[in-house]
Amino acid sequence: MSASPSVSAVARIAYLASDDLLNSLSPHAPSPFQAYLNKLSGSSGDRAAVTHLPFGADAGSTLLRHRSARLLSYTALAHPQHLNQLLLHLPELSSTSTVFHVAVTSDLSDALVLQSSLPFVLYSRTAQQAHDHALLASRLAFTESTAVLHIFHVGDESESVEEADGDRIAPFLYAERQSPRGSEQKSTLDPSALLKVYQSAALATVALVRRPLRPLTQHGASEPHTVLFTLGRAALSYNIEGVSFVDVALLKPLPSSAILGAVSPSVTRVIVLEQIHHWSIKWTPLYLEVVSAIQQAELSPSPVVQSGLLGEASTITESDVTTLIEKAAAEAPSARLALGPAPAAQTAASAPHVPKHEAAYTKILANLFAGRLEILNSPDLVSQQGEVATTPEFALGRARGELEEREELVNAVHELLRDPDVTIEVHSLLSRWLAAKDDGVKSKQLGDELAAALEGEKLTSSAAQKILILRRLLPARSRWIIGSDAWAYDLGASGLHHAIASQLNVNVLILDTTPYTTRNSADPHRRKQDVGLYAMNHGDVFVASTAVYSSYAQVLQAIMEADRYDGPSVVLAYLPYNTEQTPALEILKETKLAVDSGYWPLYRWNPAKERAGKEPFSLDSDFVKNELQQFLDRQNHLSQLSRSRPELAAELVGSLGENLKQARKQRAQQSYNDLLTAIDAPPLTVLYASDGGRAEKVAKRLATRGKLRGLSTTVATLDSISVEDLAKEEMVVFVTSVAGQGEFPQNGRTFVKALSALAGRGEKPLTSVRYSVFGLGDSHYWPRPEDAHYYNKAGKDLDARLAQLGAERFASLGLGDDQDADGPETGYKAWEPLVWKALGVDAVAVTEQEPEPITNEHIKVASQYLRGTIAEGLADASTGALAPSDTQLTKFHGIYQQDDRDIRDERQAQGVEPAYSFMIRVRMPGGVCSPEQWLLLDQIADEHGNGSLKITTRQTFQYHGVIKRHLKTAIQDINRALLDTLAACGDVNRNVIVSTIPSLSKLHSQAYDFARRVSEHLLPRTSAYHEIWLDKKLVAGDAIKDIEPLYGEFYLPRKFKVAVAIPPNNDVDVFANDLGFIAIVENGELAGFNVSIGGGMGVTHGNKKTYPRAGSIIGFCTVAQGVDVAEKVMLVQRDNGNRADRKNARLKYTIDRMGLDAFTAEVERRLGYALAPARAYTFDRNVDDFGWVTGEDGRHHFTCFIENGRIQDEPGRDFKTGLREIAKVHRGTFRLTANQHLIITDVATEDLSTIKRLLAEYKLDTLSYSGLRLSSSACVAFPTCGLAMAESERYLPILIDKVEKICEENGLRNDSIVMRMTGCPNGCARPYLAEVAFVGKAPGTYLMLLGGGYYGQRLNKIYRETVTEPEILAILRPMIKRYALERQPGERFGDFVIRAGYIAPTTEGKAWYDRMGGEGEHREIAVAA
């Protein structure tokens, strides 16, 4: 239910006026208050603290805990369960400053149960009245320290509200009181005195809103014979002779004088109409007030007073009122009248709303127990059984009834077995069914056969008839009750206790939706009880804690174990979301935070194992140790184990000592730093915040230069120092770069948050500190005028914040701009002398040479052929990371160190190191994998990684989430699969990729053989890989005899990539590679290759010295010459590449610096012969051909669509399991494609049906995707890639959902448009050759590129430098529509946007920036000249 104008108005007033605001959530549909209050809470300003109470929670006790608030507000949609619970607390709450805002849809019955216990009750029938009464109620409660009930109608969207200015509400509340205060005085006030208090508050409210507020409003005849008092939504504004209408707005206090004032002497009949349809006593509240007033007045003659029900307002007409008055005259005074029909909602119960996110679990249940799943409290039952059908009590009753009936069925089977007249066939079926009665599959099959046999035999015994009557229970059912975490607030009242104690074979799935990041916003006194602990204490209950967005496999295992367990089972399921609009990506991040921190551990507790003498507890989450002390303090299951089994507790908390070691190291380092500062020289502290390392280099260089000038200098990250320690420093220099949209880098955010908190409190703790700030940024990174303030925002904000905290600036803010002639050095050179001058060392002559900075080249040459200290780092259990220098070397071994960036900030706040893990990339030339290898690789993913396999754009597998202690065993297992990871990364030749055209089986075989020979020939020869990972011994008495005949001890300047393309499909994007071989086929045979050199994708944002480049064809070579050509091209790059600047070290820059002809001449000189002229070829696409195809050898091949290459099991898409099952029976091979998809190849005709059946079973044969989706590709990006600036793999499918709708609207669903996305500009998904591409710049912000060639022959160009999703859709919508209408036959999207004048073509890499930003009317205004 969305917030109507009246709900929004009341919620706003309550939020602005209160100190604390409590909102009770609705039972099924979303609360009308919730979303609006969340929106208000997200806005700036110091307003009410909002707490949402789950449905069923006792709001009264929570309100009492907040009774000290100056004003306390409570909001709820009327429901008997939470309003009736309030009754017990109202005597205490009545003397507190509390406003109860209760919204009603039609019937006032539920809300009016509160009126007898509260001194003031206001009623609003319109949205405007609800707004004004909310102000009046707040004023009354605040000034009189009394509780006020405000009942108002939800209303509809057609109403309008004129709202009071928010800035005037506080002065309105605090204005001088017009009435006495104090509970002692109020307790003696009679209704007339209370009315004066109301009138005083009403006058103040009228002064604010400039609208009248009256307790009763009378209209109609001036001398009436009949008066109608109305309490309800209907506004009876009719001119009926002799009839007057009184609309009641103040229900309590309602003095007799006010009522009698509306009853003139001419009145003979009074009718009281109330919109109350479920009142438990005979007479309604307003009727009693009116009758009492008239009787006490002893009017003569006394009018007849009659009661009536007020129905739906929309259908009441003037004639209905006339008919009512006529009927009243004819009826007895005690008869209950009615005006208008009763609310339609009373006639039928509607099924409750089930949030869509719950499908993540319900689909798993449906898939696992297809045909035998029974949701005992299914919402579908509501239409027949009413709302009670969704309660656990009802569900438990159903379960008990069915289980008792099944027991009767079993007894009947036993009885029939003893019947001598039963045939042998039936007897056998009865026996077999009894043996398999608990087996979900067999019991159904045998049950059907048994029922059919009994019907055929026409047995008349009572046992046989009983079996047929109960035949529906022959199949074993999996019975589940599904509930929410609201059950955890009161286990007894929720019925959950009865399920746990029932000993019935029933399963309970409890969904907990509280997001980790908002876990502390709930009332701390109302903590949910730990259902898991509660159930485990019972001793005979299976308990599991699961999270589908953390471990899908663990959810499956837990649910299957729960189903097998003979007794009650409780499965706790984590599903954190605020609204149904919460994207799955946010749920994933919240889940990871919760599981990693120990807030939501994953475990299983199986009493059946304990009875068998086994360990009943299984811990399934790796990161439960991170916050274990707090986790144990929560008294969950682990705290119980730690008391009963101390050895387990000791094992679990053992790693906490590592944090202590780290703290001691830092303390020792600090002591050493303190010693340095005692030296008689001006001290200087240099603090930096850096993500990419550039600011760190600047800071360390400055510190080094300070030491050369005789200063005692220390250098550290911002987060390594507290504000208290900073206050002790004298001279401090800050160096910071910028992350995202003006944000601070990760290692400075905690420090900056601390500064902001102090500034918010107005403190000035840094008055003794003198400082200067140097910021690094790119003025062109945010080219639009409205985004210009993001330039160097971190440095500017830090400079201003330090001054705000009392620090004194000794040198003005320095700003380094990437766009300056010398980059940031231009600004740095002007700023650094100011620092030395302020420190008084500007005249010091520096004679000692400044140390050369450590670079990758130093690390490589000192590594002893890629050994470094990797082995020692692997043995260091004090950290999950390796040394920084070793992380550069492990890349050569196919390993990248990463950490989970989704939880990086949270772990930093906890004071623990990042959640380090490693990515392992397999070397698999040509992407060919046998079924035996597949099964081993699949097993490695489960045992050592995060359970998934990632197909990369270089035709190989990546494992993510491998922790350090698993690295070695993982690589040894990969080696057992006859594969390795050597040279999968690093400054060497990477995995050689090959076009996959299964129909050309012979040609592919030849190309694959060539690629494998190139890969083996260019492989590094160091024995370090086998020594470190495979425990091979050093040669010749431990003396290192390694030599690198091709690479030398420096290896290459940068990575080197080789691709082999087989026309007409350029699926490998051959022109994106340093070296490309384009197969030339003559007379059906592979004659040789055209040679392409100088392709490359990597770019640095804002650095125009970097650019992508498409390869250049330099000639033709034979197959026999190919390996030699590859070697010589690589060697020329080895000897001529730029080793001083890694950003300009790729082959593409070497070629552009030397010139293509000069580079080619050097290659030919080393070859000893000239390459032949290039030969003709044709490319027509670079996307995969999906579906079945038969090769020239008669064998069959199927290309599966694997979105962005991620092979994992998900609800409804168990791809990983499916491919494992295929690998068990497949007798051919698997081929990975460079577009991140998979081909099941070489399927024999006799195996075709088996493979097709498995593909269909696991939905791997689904190809009904749009052409756009089939042509898309994305890199990994968040959460593991350390270079990612924005989402990619997790976001591109979401974006495609929206773009493909545009395509479908324009008839382009099946048209291929190549769209690619990367999280950073390094280009892993080859975005710069796509027709449409998005390159991450900051979270949610991308560079947009257009105009790439459909078959990878042309680079695209920057169209917009900064776009977000709404801008992307706004740009593409008219562009795609125009493409659909105006394209020429066969014209591709990338070609069209050039012809239509959207973007200029890119003719070469060096011209990539020329004419960027669009053409003509499509040009981005903010693009710099």
Side-chain angles (χ1 to χ4, degrees):
M1 181 183 293
S2 60
S4 64
S6 57
V7 169
S8 301
V10 171
R12 175 176 175 269
I13 297 301
Y15 178 75
L16 295 175
S18 310
D19 291 337
D20 294 288
L21 194 160
L22 278 67
N23 172 53
S24 280
L25 300 180
S26 300
H28 302 301
S31 162
F33 292 98
Q34 185 179 10
Y36 193 76
L37 287 174
N38 287 340
K39 178 182 176 182
L40 292 172
S41 300
S43 61
S44 59
D46 184 16
R47 303 296 188 183
V50 179
T51 302
H52 295 291
L53 304 177
F55 177 77
D58 182 6
S61 58
T62 306
L63 288 165
L64 286 172
R65 279 191 290 273
H66 291 81
R67 72 177 84 186
S68 60
R70 292 176 300 176
L71 183 63
L72 178 61
S73 291
Y74 171 76
T75 56
L77 181 65
H79 191 283
Q81 185 163 338
H82 52 236
L83 293 183
N84 289 343
Q85 287 179 334
L86 281 174
L87 288 172
L88 295 174
H89 305 284
L90 288 185
E92 290 181 83
L93 289 169
S94 63
S95 59
T96 64
S97 300
T98 305
V99 182
F100 297 88
H101 296 286
V102 180
V104 296
T105 52
S106 56
D107 192 356
L108 303 179
S109 305
D110 294 333
L112 284 173
V113 298
L114 306 180
Q115 59 93 25
S116 62
S117 302
L118 298 174
F120 292 96
V121 180
L122 307 179
Y123 170 71
S124 304
R125 60 168 43 84
T126 67
Q128 187 64 66
Q129 195 175 27
H131 169 273
D132 297 348
H133 276 167
L135 286 167
L136 173 56
S138 300
R139 169 77 179 183
L140 263 176
F142 182 81
T143 58
E144 303 304 321
S145 293
T146 191
V148 180
L149 173 61
H150 174 212
I151 304 170
F152 67 98
H153 282 274
V154 171
D156 54 54
E157 296 295 331
S158 63
E159 296 184 272
S160 61
V161 178
E162 184 180 338
E163 295 184 331
D165 187 346
D167 294 335
R168 299 180 61 192
I169 292 176
F172 159 73
L173 292 177
Y174 302 149
E176 185 178 353
R177 296 176 180 84
Q178 302 295 320
S179 59
R181 180 175 180 173
S183 59
E184 295 81 12
Q185 292 173 297
K186 289 196 301 293
S187 63
T188 61
L189 291 177
D190 60 24
S192 60
L194 284 173
L195 182 62
K196 291 179 181 179
V197 172
Y198 162 82
Q199 290 170 339
S200 175
L203 286 173
T205 309
V206 169
L208 175 66
V209 301
R210 299 297 178 182
R211 281 180 294 275
L213 289 172
R214 300 185 180 94
L216 303 175
T217 303
Q218 188 167 13
H219 53 91
S222 57
E223 294 291 331
H225 56 73
T226 302
V227 174
L228 273 68
F229 283 82
T230 64
L231 182 68
R233 175 75 167 160
L236 307 180
S237 302
Y238 306 121
N239 292 316
I240 302 175
E241 185 178 355
V243 179
S244 175
F245 301 91
V246 180
D247 300 331
V248 178
L250 178 65
L251 188 57
K252 189 177 180 181
L254 187 55
S256 299
S257 58
I259 296 173
L260 295 174
V263 181
S264 63
S266 61
V267 174
T268 59
R269 188 176 303 278
V270 175
I271 302 175
V272 183
L273 297 173
E274 298 168 81
Q275 198 165 339
I276 300 175
H277 299 272
H278 292 91
W279 201 242
S280 58
I281 58 179
K282 182 176 181 180
W283 303 115
T284 51
L286 180 58
Y287 173 78
L288 290 175
E289 292 283 353
V290 174
V291 166
S292 176
I294 292 176
Q295 287 178 348
Q296 289 176 11
E298 297 181 354
L299 300 178
S300 181
S302 179
V304 176
V305 183
Q306 294 174 277
S307 174
L309 300 180
L310 186 60
E312 287 290 337
S314 59
T315 61
I316 297 175
T317 64
E318 183 175 337
S319 62
D320 293 332
V321 178
T322 304
T323 302
L324 173 73
I325 295 171
E326 293 172 353
K327 187 174 182 180
E331 294 280 356
S334 60
R336 182 67 56 86
L337 305 172
L339 177 62
Q346 296 179 4
T347 59
S350 58
H353 174 75
V354 179
K356 66 177 182 180
H357 292 302
E358 289 188 10
Y361 288 98
T362 55
K363 280 185 178 179
I364 292 176
L365 293 176
N367 289 337
L368 286 177
F369 310 122
R372 66 186 189 94
L373 173 66
E374 184 174 11
I375 307 296
L376 295 169
N377 61 337
S378 171
D380 297 336
L381 299 170
V382 172
S383 58
Q384 292 106 15
Q385 306 288 343
E387 289 189 2
V388 71
T390 61
T391 63
E393 295 88 349
F394 176 89
L396 195 62
R398 282 192 66 201
R400 187 179 295 278
E402 288 187 3
L403 290 171
E404 289 175 353
E405 283 188 314
R406 197 163 200 260
E407 189 62 31
E408 293 179 19
L409 174 67
V410 172
N411 292 335
V413 171
H414 281 293
E415 182 180 342
L416 192 59
L417 279 170
R418 294 191 292 268
D419 190 333
D421 296 332
V422 171
T423 64
I424 295 176
E425 178 189 358
V426 172
H427 194 280
S428 173
L429 284 171
L430 289 168
S431 301
R432 288 162 59 198
W433 181 85
L434 273 178
K437 64 183 174 63
D438 295 324
D439 186 301
V441 177
K442 292 181 180 178
S443 64
K444 183 180 188 309
Q445 179 183 349
L446 292 170
D448 291 343
E449 293 179 16
L450 176 59
L454 290 176
E455 288 179 334
E457 293 287 338
K458 297 182 178 178
L459 296 175
T460 59
S461 67
S462 60
Q465 294 303 311
K466 188 75 169 179
I467 293 172
L468 289 174
I469 291 171
L470 298 177
R471 65 191 300 172
R472 74 182 191 284
L473 299 176
L474 285 169
R477 312 301 296 270
S478 183
R479 295 178 175 86
W480 289 83
I481 302 173
I482 301 178
S484 72
D485 53 350
W487 291 1
Y489 286 90
D490 189 343
L491 294 175
S494 69
L496 189 58
H497 164 77
H498 303 298
I500 291 172
S502 68
Q503 297 186 329
L504 296 176
N505 189 5
V506 65
N507 308 294
V508 183
L509 180 73
I510 299 179
L511 299 166
D512 191 312
T513 60
T514 305
Y516 176 76
T517 53
T518 60
R519 66 197 185 283
N520 295 323
S521 62
D523 186 347
H525 298 90
R526 295 197 58 265
R527 185 170 193 86
K528 288 179 290 190
Q529 298 181 47
D530 192 324
V531 176
L533 174 63
Y534 184 84
M536 286 165 59
N537 276 330
H538 208 271
D540 60 352
V541 181
F542 174 89
V543 185
S545 176
T546 67
V548 71
Y549 282 87
S550 176
S551 176
Y552 178 67
Q554 191 256 358
V555 175
L556 295 178
Q557 188 172 7
I559 288 177
M560 288 189 291
E561 285 186 16
D563 178 64
R564 288 195 297 267
Y565 182 73
D566 186 15
S569 299
V570 175
V571 179
L572 309 176
Y574 195 50
L575 192 66
Y577 67 92
N578 286 312
T579 68
E580 288 201 70
Q581 285 68 47
T582 302
L585 184 55
E586 288 302 313
I587 299 176
L588 171 66
K589 291 180 179 179
E590 291 284 353
T591 302
K592 291 174 69 175
L593 286 169
V595 173
D596 177 80
S597 66
Y599 172 81
W600 191 271
L602 307 182
Y603 64 84
R604 287 165 289 127
W605 174 272
N606 192 340
K609 290 184 177 180
E610 190 170 33
R611 291 193 287 268
K614 300 178 182 178
E615 172 58 56
F617 178 73
S618 300
L619 183 63
D620 299 320
S621 51
D622 291 334
F623 300 111
V624 73
K625 299 179 186 177
N626 300 333
E627 201 181 12
L628 195 56
Q629 192 59 54
Q630 293 89 332
F631 181 54
L632 293 174
D633 287 344
R634 282 173 47 206
Q635 291 195 341
N636 51 51
H637 63 280
L638 287 182
S639 62
Q640 216 179 10
L641 290 174
S642 68
R643 289 193 294 270
S644 61
R645 301 180 185 173
E647 71 280 4
L648 177 61
E651 177 186 343
L652 288 171
V653 302
S655 68
L656 294 176
E658 303 304 334
N659 293 334
L660 182 60
K661 290 180 186 178
Q662 186 65 25
R664 287 174 177 169
K665 286 182 181 179
Q666 292 176 351
R667 182 69 59 84
Q669 182 66 39
Q670 185 61 43
S671 299
Y672 175 69
N673 292 342
D674 292 342
L675 178 64
L676 285 180
T677 57
I679 299 174
D680 187 17
L684 176 64
T685 299
V686 182
L687 301 174
Y688 66 87
S690 177
D691 275 339
R694 188 169 61 168
E696 179 181 359
K697 290 178 181 178
V698 171
K700 290 181 175 178
R701 184 178 65 181
L702 179 71
T704 300
R705 292 179 177 179
K707 287 180 180 179
L708 294 178
R709 286 168 169 78
L711 299 173
S712 61
T713 62
T714 55
V715 61
T717 63
L718 283 178
D719 281 349
S720 67
I721 190 171
S722 66
V723 179
E724 292 77 12
D725 290 336
L726 176 63
K728 301 173 185 176
E729 302 292 338
E730 297 177 41
M731 310 290 284
V732 187
V733 167
F734 298 86
V735 181
T736 180
S737 56
V738 182
Q741 291 181 311
E743 300 162 3
F744 281 85
Q746 289 281 351
N747 53 8
R749 292 182 183 177
T750 301
F751 175 80
V752 172
K753 287 177 183 176
L755 291 184
S756 299
L758 290 169
R761 295 195 294 267
E763 298 182 23
K764 293 184 180 294
L766 305 181
T767 52
S768 62
V769 177
R770 301 182 66 203
Y771 76 96
S772 183
V773 176
F774 184 77
L776 294 95
D778 182 355
S779 60
H780 199 58
Y781 197 81
W782 303 102
R784 300 186 301 190
E786 60 268 31
D787 295 334
H789 63 286
Y790 292 134
Y791 164 62
N792 248 320
K793 186 175 185 294
K796 294 173 183 176
D797 288 352
L798 179 59
D799 181 70
R801 184 71 74 219
L802 291 166
Q804 187 179 358
L805 294 175
E808 180 186 352
R809 194 181 290 107
F810 68 73
S812 58
L813 172 67
L815 299 177
D817 188 353
D818 284 350
Q819 298 304 313
D820 287 341
D822 201 15
E825 286 297 309
T826 302
Y828 181 81
K829 289 174 183 176
W831 171 80
E832 183 184 308
L834 301 178
V835 175
W836 306 140
K837 184 175 182 180
L839 293 167
V841 293
D842 53 320
V844 175
V846 179
T847 56
E848 185 179 347
Q849 186 175 356
E850 187 175 323
E852 185 180 355
I854 301 294
T855 67
N856 283 57
E857 299 303 309
H858 296 98
I859 294 171
K860 286 186 285 187
V861 74
S863 70
Q864 295 184 313
Y865 293 101
L866 308 182
R867 286 174 174 80
T869 58
I870 296 174
E872 293 80 356
L874 291 172
D876 181 5
S878 67
T879 174
L882 295 173
S885 59
D886 287 336
T887 62
Q888 297 301 318
L889 297 175
T890 54
K891 294 177 183 179
F892 291 80
H893 300 257
I895 299 165
Y896 276 83
Q897 179 174 296
Q898 301 175 329
D899 75 286
D900 193 330
R901 295 178 64 180
D902 282 345
I903 57 176
R904 184 186 284 176
D905 287 346
E906 183 67 24
R907 291 180 66 86
Q908 187 174 23
Q910 295 169 2
V912 295
E913 70 178 13
Y916 288 117
S917 64
F918 294 82
M919 179 271 282
I920 299 177
R921 185 179 294 154
V922 180
R923 185 176 67 90
M924 189 183 288
V928 176
C929 171
S930 70
E932 295 75 20
Q933 288 174 323
W934 185 283
L935 290 172
L936 284 169
L937 294 172
D938 176 273
Q939 181 180 347
I940 292 166
D942 290 334
E943 293 180 355
H944 304 299
N946 64 1
S948 71
L949 288 163
K950 170 73 173 181
I951 301 176
T952 78
T953 55
R954 295 212 66 76
Q955 267 183 332
T956 187
F957 288 118
Q958 284 181 180
Y959 294 106
H960 291 273
V962 182
I963 56 178
K964 189 170 76 172
R965 69 172 183 270
H966 281 229
L967 267 179
K968 196 167 185 174
T969 51
I971 291 180
Q972 289 173 347
D973 288 346
I974 291 171
N975 184 68
R976 279 194 281 274
L978 302 180
L979 295 167
D980 61 52
T981 66
L982 178 62
C985 322
D987 297 341
V988 288
N989 175 57
R990 303 282 185 92
N991 197 55
V992 180
I993 60 178
V994 183
S995 284
T996 50
I997 304 183
S999 58
L1000 303 176
S1001 308
K1002 178 180 177 182
L1003 189 56
H1004 179 271
S1005 176
Q1006 293 173 329
Y1008 167 68
D1009 179 69
F1010 172 73
R1012 186 181 51 77
R1013 287 190 288 114
V1014 170
S1015 179
E1016 293 298 326
H1017 183 72
L1018 301 183
L1019 199 65
R1021 302 305 174 192
T1022 176
S1023 61
Y1025 180 85
H1026 297 81
E1027 173 191 318
I1028 294 170
W1029 306 108
L1030 307 179
D1031 294 327
K1032 298 295 176 69
K1033 298 297 183 182
L1034 290 170
V1035 296
D1038 291 350
I1040 296 176
K1041 300 296 184 183
D1042 276 342
I1043 187 170
E1044 288 286 7
L1046 292 180
Y1047 292 106
E1049 58 185 356
F1050 285 96
Y1051 293 85
L1052 298 181
R1054 283 288 266 121
K1055 59 189 172 185
F1056 191 82
K1057 297 182 176 181
V1058 180
V1060 181
I1062 305 175
N1065 193 353
N1066 184 20
D1067 57 339
V1068 296
D1069 270 329
V1070 68
F1071 299 116
N1073 291 265
D1074 296 270
L1075 175 61
F1077 292 96
I1078 302 171
I1080 303 299
V1081 181
E1082 295 177 353
N1083 301 320
E1085 296 292 332
L1086 180 61
F1089 304 95
N1090 282 351
V1091 180
S1092 165
I1093 61 172
M1097 295 286 97
V1099 174
T1100 299
H1101 282 315
N1103 184 351
K1104 292 191 176 181
K1105 295 178 182 178
T1106 66
Y1107 49 83
R1109 188 183 191 278
S1112 305
I1113 294 178
I1114 60 172
F1116 171 86
C1117 70
T1118 65
V1119 177
Q1121 294 171 332
V1123 174
D1124 195 26
V1125 170
E1127 175 190 311
K1128 297 306 186 290
V1129 172
M1130 190 184 78
L1131 293 182
V1132 176
Q1133 161 65 356
R1134 180 198 68 185
D1135 297 339
N1136 294 276
N1138 185 350
R1139 293 181 182 270
D1141 182 1
R1142 286 182 65 80
K1143 293 184 185 300
N1144 280 91
R1146 288 288 296 274
L1147 176 61
K1148 59 183 175 179
Y1149 302 117
T1150 306
I1151 290 173
D1152 284 347
R1153 189 180 66 255
M1154 293 177 61
L1156 181 63
D1157 292 341
F1159 188 95
T1160 305
E1162 178 60 18
V1163 170
E1164 292 177 336
R1165 185 188 69 79
R1166 297 191 185 209
L1167 286 169
Y1169 57 85
L1171 295 171
R1175 302 187 184 182
Y1177 68 94
T1178 300
F1179 285 134
D1180 60 15
R1181 64 194 183 283
N1182 68 356
V1183 297
D1184 293 334
D1185 298 320
F1186 296 96
W1188 284 103
V1189 65
T1190 302
E1192 55 197 9
D1193 58 356
R1195 300 181 79 83
H1196 309 281
H1197 317 269
F1198 183 81
T1199 303
C1200 306
F1201 173 74
I1202 308 291
E1203 190 159 30
N1204 298 320
R1206 183 66 66 179
I1207 299 175
Q1208 60 187 2
D1209 285 342
E1210 302 174 22
R1213 295 199 305 178
D1214 293 327
F1215 286 2
K1216 186 167 178 288
T1217 299
L1219 291 169
R1220 183 192 311 127
E1221 294 304 311
I1222 290 173
K1224 290 177 182 178
V1225 300
H1226 185 35
R1227 294 187 293 173
T1229 58
F1230 294 93
R1231 295 183 202 166
L1232 314 184
T1233 81
N1235 287 316
Q1236 302 177 291
H1237 304 300
L1238 175 67
I1239 307 179
I1240 301 168
T1241 65
D1242 301 316
V1243 180
T1245 300
E1246 59 269 25
D1247 297 331
L1248 201 55
S1249 60
T1250 301
I1251 299 299
K1252 284 186 175 181
R1253 176 181 60 79
L1254 289 169
L1255 286 170
E1257 180 179 347
Y1258 292 97
K1259 301 179 182 178
L1260 283 159
D1261 61 346
T1262 302
L1263 297 175
S1264 57
Y1265 301 103
S1266 67
L1268 176 70
R1269 192 176 297 273
L1270 292 172
S1271 307
S1272 66
S1273 184
C1275 70
V1276 176
F1278 290 133
T1280 53
C1281 179
L1283 301 175
M1285 301 173 181
E1287 292 283 359
S1288 182
E1289 178 188 332
R1290 300 192 297 193
Y1291 171 60
L1292 182 60
I1294 298 172
L1295 179 63
I1296 286 179
D1297 286 342
K1298 299 173 182 179
V1299 177
E1300 68 185 358
K1301 289 180 181 177
I1302 300 174
C1303 293
E1304 290 172 1
E1305 290 169 2
N1306 293 281
L1308 300 177
R1309 173 176 173 77
N1310 298 319
D1311 288 71
S1312 173
I1313 299 175
V1314 179
M1315 178 182 287
R1316 294 174 182 166
M1317 176 178 284
T1318 58
C1320 78
N1322 288 301
C1324 292
R1326 305 190 295 274
Y1328 306 113
L1329 287 170
E1331 295 181 288
V1332 187
F1334 303 97
V1335 176
K1337 297 185 72 176
T1341 305
Y1342 298 85
L1343 196 73
M1344 182 177 184
L1345 305 102
L1346 292 176
Y1350 180 70
Y1351 51 89
Q1353 81 283 13
R1354 180 182 62 245
L1355 293 169
N1356 53 28
K1357 191 181 289 290
I1358 298 171
Y1359 182 68
R1360 293 290 183 264
E1361 292 195 77
T1362 305
V1363 291
T1364 58
E1365 183 181 285
E1367 293 165 315
I1368 291 170
L1369 299 177
I1371 290 170
L1372 288 179
R1373 185 176 298 278
M1375 193 179 291
I1376 290 173
K1377 181 177 182 179
R1378 187 178 172 191
Y1379 171 59
L1381 295 173
E1382 301 179 14
R1383 60 177 172 167
Q1384 296 175 353
E1387 186 176 30
R1388 294 292 176 180
F1389 186 77
D1391 300 324
F1392 169 78
V1393 294
I1394 293 173
R1395 182 179 64 81
Y1398 287 100
I1399 197 75
T1402 301
T1403 55
E1404 61 174 337
K1406 290 186 291 185
W1408 190 60
Y1409 294 99
D1410 295 348
R1411 297 167 65 184
M1412 59 181 269
E1415 293 284 285
E1417 63 179 310
H1418 306 292
R1419 185 163 179 78
E1420 188 174 23
I1421 297 173
V1423 171

